[in-house]
């Protein structure tokens, strides 16, 4: 999920490991390794499996399929429902790399349709036991937001590897075919035209989830971005500003309504969900990236993507993570609409200064979130084998 393993798998292969990426049945297409690759290398290490849908097939059939495909491997790394399937065949999960729902929701039984209740009970029980018994849990700190679910599952702190996992495969952004990719994309051509016409262009790839969020960790604070844009437009009449965002999330319609209410709908371009390889190509051309503004998170997909491309990032990190890193990555802190407005005006008034923020973050990422993280994971792998 979120291309976590498509990147990590490639880093491990680069370091001499024989690694295979299993794509479970039912994974969203825009999270497939194909959607994150500029060549066909993914075909050499990726296996798409028929199991993964917890409601299809008997438990015995699923168990036999999982066992047949995983039995030859010495070390198992998983997220999503993978921990439950590993536990189903009686194996220990060596590394658990959660992305959210797999510790927020899946390990805990919820009332549902009677026909699905028994299967949910089985899978939630397996998931919880797999996480408790995992050799290592690799998760970047979240300021307590996700840690509380690990506490609920009674996971020992000493088993948590706080380096996180590199969510982008760095080498592919140095290739010539990266810049040549997507030339026929309407979205990319739109951004290039805006830049030619002198607009400051922001990209906001996060899901729209701020009014009808299914759970607290999913709140993104998209409304603060829109209000902040309106404040900046009010302070600078005739502002040449454009925001590209995606029709993705439960509150797309609410965000569209809010843009109209704030009279900034002409500043916002709504795009369909696109593959990550096109998203990052578009990101390369914008002036800044806007991430999540509600919770203070240290890292997630948008953070990695923006830093990999040396793009200034506007998001909410807060001060809760200083104990993990003496020096944190440069960014534009924003947890309110006024913060957003200030960041936009700073970007307009001092583009070169803000551009250095992105370059500094890229250097920091190379050292800590790629080289350092893979080193830590490799060290833990040595202990697991």
């Amino acid at each position: 999920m979120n291309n976590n393993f498509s990147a990590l798998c490639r880093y491990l292969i680069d370091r001499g490991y024989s690694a295979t990426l299993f794509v479970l049945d039912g994974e969203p297409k825009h999270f497939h390794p194909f959607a994150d690759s500029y060549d066909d290398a993914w075909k050499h290490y990726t296996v798409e499996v028929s199991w993964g849908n917890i409601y299809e097939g008997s438990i015995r059939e699923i168990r036999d399929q999982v066992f047949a495909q995983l039995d030859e491997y010495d070390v198992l790394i998983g997220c999503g429902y993978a921990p439950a399937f590993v536990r189903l065949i009686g194996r220990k999960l060596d590394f658990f790399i959660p992305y959210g729902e797999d510790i927020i929701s899946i390990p805990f039984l919820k009332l549902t349709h009677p026909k699905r209740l028994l299967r949910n009970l089985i899978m939630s029980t397996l998931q919880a036991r797999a996480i408790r018994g995992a050799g290592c849990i690799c998760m970047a700190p979240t300021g307590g937001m996700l840690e509380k679910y690990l506490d609920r599952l009674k996971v020992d702190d000493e088993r948590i590897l706080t380096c996180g996992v590199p969510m982008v495969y760095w080498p592919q952004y140095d290739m010539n075919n990266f810049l040549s990719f997507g030339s026929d994309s309407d979205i990319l051509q739109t951004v290039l035209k805006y830049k030619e016409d002198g607009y400051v262009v922001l990209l906001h790839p996060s899901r729209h989830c701020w009014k009808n969020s299914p759970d607290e960790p999913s709140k993104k604070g998209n409304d603060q971005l829109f209000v902040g844009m309106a404040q900046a437009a009010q302070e600078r009449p005739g502002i040449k500003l454009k925001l590209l965002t995606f029709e993705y999330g439960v509150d797309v319609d609410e965000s569209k309504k809010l843009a109209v209410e704030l009279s900034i709908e002409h500043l916002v371009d709504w795009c369909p969900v696109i593959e990550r390889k096109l998203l990052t190509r578009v990101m390369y051309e914008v002036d800044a990236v806007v991430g999540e503004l509600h919770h203070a998170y240290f890292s997630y997909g948008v953070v990695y993507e923006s830093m990999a491309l040396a793009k200034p990032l506007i998001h909410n990190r807060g001060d809760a993570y200083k104990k993990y890193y003496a020096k944190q990555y440069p960014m534009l802190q924003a947890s309110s609409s006024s913060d957003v407005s200030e960041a936009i005006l700073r970007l307009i008034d001092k583009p070169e200064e803000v551009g250095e923020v992105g370059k500094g973050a890229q250097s920091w990422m190379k050292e800590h979130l790629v080289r350092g993280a893979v080193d830590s994971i490799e060290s833990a792998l040595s202990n697991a084998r």
Side-chain angles (χ1 to χ4, degrees), residues 203-267:
L203 180 67
H204 180 50
S206 300
R207 283 183 294 133
H208 285 264
C209 189
W210 55 275
K211 191 172 185 178
N212 300 293
S213 176
D215 51 62
E216 182 61 27
S218 295
K219 292 181 179 179
K220 309 296 182 186
N222 319 85
D223 54 325
Q224 297 302 309
L225 168 59
F226 283 67
V227 175
M229 288 178 61
Q231 291 172 349
Q234 185 175 18
E235 185 167 337
R236 298 284 179 88
I239 190 172
K240 298 198 75 172
L241 175 69
K242 289 291 184 179
L243 171 74
L244 270 73
T245 190
F246 296 89
E247 294 183 324
Y248 181 38
V250 296
D251 285 323
V252 168
D253 289 341
E254 294 295 337
S255 291
K256 289 183 177 180
K257 290 178 185 176
L258 181 59
V260 173
E261 292 171 4
L262 295 169
S263 300
I264 61 166
E265 68 272 22
H266 62 290
L267 304 181

Side-chain angles (χ1 to χ4, degrees), residues 83 96 102-103 107 127-134 137 150 153 155 159:
F96 174 49
D102 43 7
I103 54 172
Q127 184 84 355
R129 290 177 178 175
I131 294 171
R132 290 191 194 103
I137 295 172
L150 294 178
L153 289 166
V155 172
R159 286 192 289 128

Side-chain angles (χ1 to χ4, degrees), residues 351-369:
E352 293 184 2
E353 177 185 292
V354 176
E356 290 300 315
V357 171
K359 294 176 183 177
Q362 184 186 62
S363 298
W364 190 95
M365 178 187 178
K366 284 181 181 180
E367 179 181 352
H368 297 283
L369 295 187

Side-chain angles (χ1 to χ4, degrees), residues 159-174:
R159 286 192 289 128
I160 301 175
L161 193 63
T162 58
C163 65
V165 60
M167 295 187 188
V168 296
Y169 183 62
W170 186 277
Q172 70 180 353
Y173 299 118
D174 290 330

Side-chain angles (χ1 to χ4, degrees), residues 10-21:
R10 294 179 77 171
Y11 283 119
L12 292 176
I13 291 171
D14 288 347
R15 295 198 177 196
Y17 290 88
S18 175
T20 301
L21 175 71

Side-chain angles (χ1 to χ4, degrees), residues 14-15 34 57 86 114 146 161 182 184 225 243-244 292 295 316 373:
D14 288 347
R15 295 198 177 196
F34 167 78
V86 170
L146 297 184
L161 193 63
D184 58 346
L225 168 59
L243 171 74
L244 270 73
E292 300 184 22
H295 294 296
N316 183 12

Side-chain angles (χ1 to χ4, degrees), residues 341-352:
S341 176
E342 181 180 333
I344 291 173
L345 296 179
R346 182 181 170 191
L347 181 62
I348 292 172
D349 294 338
K350 300 179 179 180
E352 293 184 2

